Amino acid sequence: MALAGLFTSVAGQAMAQETGRTADLVNPLIGSRHGGNTFPGVSMPLGMLQWSPENTRGKHAHTASPSGYQYDATRIRGFSLTHLSGAGCAGASGDMPFMPITVPVVSSPSADLTDSVYASDFAHADEVAKVGDYRVRLSNGVSVALAAAMRSGMASFAFPAGKPANLLIRASDSEVGSSDASVKIDTARRTVSGSVTSGNFCGYLAQADQRSYYTLYFVAKFDQPFTGKGAWHDGAVEPGKNKARGGTGYGDKGYPEARKGSGVWLGFAPNGGDVQVRVGISYVSVANAQANLDAEIPKGTTLAQLRERTRGAWSETLDKIAIEGGTDDQRTTFYTALYHSLIHPNVFSDSNGEYRGFDQQVHRISGTQRAQYANFSGWDVYRSQLQLLTWLDPAVGSDMAQSLYNQATQNGGEWDRWTHNSGGTHVMSGDPAVPALAAIDAFGGRNFDLKNAYASLVKAAIEPTAHDLSDDGCNVECVGQRPSLDQWLHLHYIATTSHAWAGAAETLEDATADFALAQLAARVGDSEGERRFLTRAGYWRNLFNPKATPQGGYIQNRNVNGSWPAFAPETEDGFVEGSASVYLWMVPFDVHGLFDQLGGNAKAVERLDRFFHDDKGQWALTRSGPLHAELDNEPSIGTPWLYAFAGQPAKTQEAVRIVLNTLWQNTPEGIPGNDDLGEMSSWYVWSALGLYPAIPGRAELVIGSPLFPRAVIHRAGGDVTIEASGAATDAPFVHALTLNGQPHDSPWLPASFATNGGHLNFTLHATPDLLWGSDIAKAPPSFSPPKT
């Protein structure tokens, strides 16, 4: 099955190899320390397989990082075939770790509770992490090299002379455990195959997610004969056995149980040369895993050939945005952010078009859909990542929209807010599928079943389900698509006591979802629905208490009877991963309405200034207390752009630039918080280009200022060229701008620019121009409820 757009052809990959190496500008180690939770291993753009190390801090049941890799945890217990980039909780995926060892297997690897026997230290000096190319020399003497195709990969294990050469396949040891696993050795065919059944994302937080919802199948083909073999199950070790079965379980608290699990090991001839393996994966069957391997890495392919092919594919993809100028570190930070933005959502269908649905049945893509995608961290990526993916390739965005609809259809009509492989996890709050779908459509991803998707979302927004009225999974994983929808329909807000994680935050998320639903209604011609949902989007006003503090009003929790509970601006009661001070600003579609509630633009700007600065006037961008911004997490990332709505875009330009310059770096700790499957990195990409999709479900772009003197975004619908005379690290201020050669003095661009392309030419200086963009009549649009 040929995939266009982000998925390049073999010819296109070869061309990229000849024309340049944008991939060389990427540093995959950015974000691998201090909470970014990225991984350094190999994958294709939006690829199903992500082969990367699993680090350990000496606790076998707890991965060192949710991505499997923590920069300062310099011990490896395996190289797993799947990973999530930037996720939180205790991890996810990390399926089927392969671990080369140079000791005999005399005790069960599942009983190695401190990872002291069947793991190995390493030093970063012995590690190479590049796009499509991961290599490391372990302290046990084994040199490991990894390469990836879309649904398959290759590895090389160079064992040291004079020592045992054994390879563990830890079938049950997914990052957060498994309910079942099986693995089988076929010595004659030099093949190992099997599966693991897992899930349990954030399962330690609530029993609702202490369950399995996907099975990964694999087949591994080796180029060397097996000179030994064996298997283990729980504490039992059986040399010579060729199969094993058994999962770890999830225990009472959502973690793998001690001394539980299964796997096999292979022995190779000492001094027998490098051992190479080709591995195919599938979420449907072993047969499909084999077919994927045959289609992508036929026998005879070398690891070097695969590595070059993958690096060429990444270069071609990254070249969709061509930048000039800036420092070396700025270019690396930019292209690494773009790289991290293009890992998820990832392809989930096999080379024959089959995939496992949310109903756990096998489905096949149909019509114009080219691939089914999985791993949508909805609460995160609806803000800017899906917009970026669709902007670069509307066909991919269309397939992602269709994938979301397929998931919901197979899930009894429920659109889950955080989906992992073939299951919903319900993690976070709100109904982010609506703004996600509306954003894709707004940015040109329109080749999907919008009519029926809209009808499904409308039904979910007006008919409470048993899940909506359930406390299962709460707080973090409330099972309903619209928790406490009955309150939304009758009270017009989500109350302090409800079936949601947090009432005030849920109210704001539901208001955003209804605003996005109004946009979809307009696009399908449902004018009555548009008016209805735009009215409901205004329900956020029901939680604005103008007398919350003597200093001014806030959005806060409200009781079912309409009364206000005790309140302080630093409270997190009623909010999700943030305080009332953070969430005050989270009305991105009705900014002018919010500013009116705050007493007008001038007072809103005063409060934004206090939000971004401490009492000494210093920038307070993150970890400065609950009264200030937290630009390491999603609820705050839209706030720097709000100054433009008040006629002071110079403050947006300054605030965004200080974030780019200080919180993002070309270092392992260079991402300020969880990258959340590329959402935070997409914010960086947009911001460095000087643009931001601030209004959920729409394609207008708020203008900041470009970091680079020139950027060209290559798009099928029309290129975007951004030139910036005077661009420099310390010159963020716009003094003049032309759009397609004509003067442009408003700090936003119409949706047609995003979809059709155009030419921007900035003049930038180190001092602010307080006049440019200050005409409030030309401020970015805001959408209040229709007058009755």
Side-chain angles (χ1 to χ4, degrees), residues 251-557:
D252 295 332
K253 297 183 178 180
Y255 291 102
E257 296 183 59
R259 299 181 176 84
K260 291 285 188 179
S262 65
V264 297
W265 76 88
L266 308 172
F268 299 94
N271 309 321
D274 295 0
V275 175
Q276 300 218 10
V277 60
R278 298 178 297 124
V279 180
I281 64 171
S282 166
Y283 292 89
V284 172
S285 65
V286 169
N288 276 19
Q290 179 68 65
N292 290 339
L293 179 60
D294 292 341
E296 296 176 358
I297 313 178
K299 185 177 180 180
T301 303
T302 68
L303 191 143
Q305 288 171 336
L306 180 60
R307 177 191 300 147
E308 287 306 300
R309 190 188 343 155
T310 303
R311 287 173 57 74
W314 269 111
S315 284
E316 185 176 356
T317 299
L318 296 169
D319 281 341
K320 286 180 175 287
I321 303 182
I323 59 171
E324 297 178 12
T327 67
D328 290 345
D329 280 345
Q330 286 172 336
R331 288 190 295 274
T332 289
T333 303
F334 178 87
Y335 276 114
T336 304
L338 182 57
Y339 168 78
H340 282 142
S341 301
L342 298 173
I343 294 175
H344 304 294
N346 54 267
V347 167
F348 193 64
S349 51
D350 291 328
S351 56
N352 65 1
E354 291 182 340
Y355 67 95
R356 183 80 56 178
F358 271 39
D359 55 4
Q360 301 307 313
Q361 302 301 306
V362 177
H363 299 264
R364 186 184 294 271
I365 58 174
S366 61
T368 58
Q369 186 180 8
R370 304 167 307 161
Q372 177 74 10
Y373 289 85
N375 299 323
F376 292 86
S377 59
W379 183 84
D380 307 296
V381 298
Y382 84 78
R383 303 168 199 263
S384 62
Q385 193 245 7
L386 291 174
Q387 291 90 326
L388 179 62
L389 289 175
T390 307
W391 196 43
L392 296 178
D393 196 325
V396 168
S398 296
D399 282 350
M400 290 181 176
Q402 187 64 42
S403 297
L404 286 168
Y405 176 52
N406 291 345
Q407 290 179 349
T409 301
Q410 297 150 11
N411 195 36
E414 291 189 355
W415 299 64
D416 196 275
R417 65 183 66 86
W418 213 116
T419 72
H420 179 211
N421 292 332
S422 52
T425 72
H426 337 301
V427 171
M428 302 311 293
S429 65
D431 188 10
V434 190
L437 208 73
I440 291 171
D441 183 80
F443 276 80
R446 294 168 185 157
N447 192 16
F448 68 99
D449 189 355
L450 173 58
K451 180 180 178 181
N452 285 315
Y454 169 72
S456 175
L457 289 167
V458 168
K459 182 178 181 181
I462 63 176
E463 297 181 12
T465 67
H467 281 168
D468 294 336
L469 307 180
S470 171
D471 284 330
D472 286 354
C474 290
N475 289 334
V476 180
E477 303 153 12
C478 300
V479 295
Q481 178 181 337
R482 290 270 189 148
S484 284
L485 177 58
D486 57 326
Q487 291 186 355
W488 189 247
L489 297 176
H490 296 99
L491 298 177
H492 297 174
Y493 61 90
I494 306 300
T496 304
T497 301
S498 70
H499 303 294
W501 180 347
E506 197 76 25
T507 295
L508 294 176
E509 294 285 0
D510 282 353
T512 291
D514 278 347
F515 174 77
L517 201 50
Q519 309 314 301
L520 291 175
R523 293 169 201 161
V524 300
D526 181 6
S527 57
E528 180 181 346
E530 180 185 10
R531 184 177 184 85
R532 175 187 195 179
F533 291 112
L534 192 57
T535 297
R536 286 174 34 160
Y539 290 174
W540 67 268
R541 287 170 165 79
N542 296 324
L543 291 195
F544 185 85
N545 181 359
K547 299 179 180 179
T549 72
Q551 292 75 35
Y554 279 88
I555 292 167
Q556 68 164 98
N557 259 348

Side-chain angles (χ1 to χ4, degrees), residues 89-173:
C89 284
S93 296
D95 303 306
M96 213 58 66
F98 286 52
M99 182 63 202
I101 58 174
T102 56
V103 296
V105 181
V106 296
S107 60
S108 171
S110 293
D112 185 14
L113 302 185
T114 59
D115 289 328
S116 59
V117 180
Y118 300 116
S120 179
D121 293 339
F122 75 101
H124 292 298
D126 297 323
E127 181 183 43
V128 173
K130 298 180 180 179
V131 169
D133 178 12
Y134 182 84
R135 286 169 278 161
V136 65
R137 186 179 186 276
L138 302 174
S139 64
N140 66 12
V142 181
S143 293
V144 180
L146 305 176
M150 183 62 67
R151 307 167 184 87
S152 54
M154 289 187 71
S156 171
F157 304 102
F159 290 91
K163 291 186 177 182
N166 292 319
L167 181 69
L168 304 180
I169 301 180
R170 302 178 182 265
S172 62
D173 286 6

